[in-house]
Structure formats: structure tokens, C-alpha cells
Amino acid sequence: MGKKAVFLDRDGTINVDTGYIGTPEGLKLFPGAAKGIRMLSEAGFILIVISNQSGIGRGYFTEDDLGAVNGRITELLTLEGAALDA
């Protein structure tokens, strides 16, 4: 049997959707998001985040800015013992 996966949207699911988040300081995880991610991982799921970041195409932030925001998500999840696979 193949591995099970959960695909999670980023904004509004893992973190509070405050609009176009272009800086790490603008990111806030939902309470319990890290715990839920950790529980899914412990249950054997591969965890993949998908996200349409149209702010790049609109010129609100760059791909490097997006990388910094995604890095902050990883950092905050790690602090709570959680991790994403992709």
C-alpha cells in the first residue's frame, strides 16, 4: 500500500490570512496548527503545503521574500516539534 498524504493550503489553514504576506514578521500561525501538523505526521501522513502566491506576479513581494516567509513557517513549526515534508 502506498503512503498517505495530506495537502494543506498555507494561508487561512496553517497561518492567519492577513492578505499578501511578504515578510516573515507578517506571519502568524493559527493556534493549534503546529500540534495538528505534528499529529498528522505521527499518524504516518506525508504533509505537503500548496499555496497560490499571486503577490509575486502582482509585484507585492519577490520569490526571495516568499522563501523568507516559508522559512519562518518552518522555524515556528520546528519550535513546536512539527515539520512539513514539502
Side-chain angles (χ1 to χ4, degrees):
M1 182 174 189
K3 293 190 176 196
K4 305 170 284 184
V6 173
F7 293 84
L8 301 163
D9 187 23
R10 194 189 84 175
D11 300 330
T13 303
I14 296 173
N15 60 276
V16 178
D17 187 354
T18 58
Y20 297 98
I21 303 171
T23 64
E25 298 79 24
L27 181 92
K28 180 176 179 179
L29 292 182
F30 276 119
K35 180 180 178 182
I37 288 169
R38 186 176 59 249
M39 290 172 67
L40 286 167
S41 180
E42 289 170 353
F45 290 94
I46 296 169
L47 303 173
I48 301 165
V49 174
I50 55 172
S51 187
N52 174 12
Q53 295 300 313
S54 66
I56 294 171
R58 296 171 194 257
Y60 297 152
F61 52 88
T62 67
E63 288 186 44
D64 287 341
D65 295 331
L66 176 62
V69 171
N70 289 342
R72 180 68 176 150
I73 292 172
T74 299
E75 180 182 319
L76 292 173
L77 291 175
T78 299
L79 290 172
E80 296 193 46
L84 299 165
D85 295 294

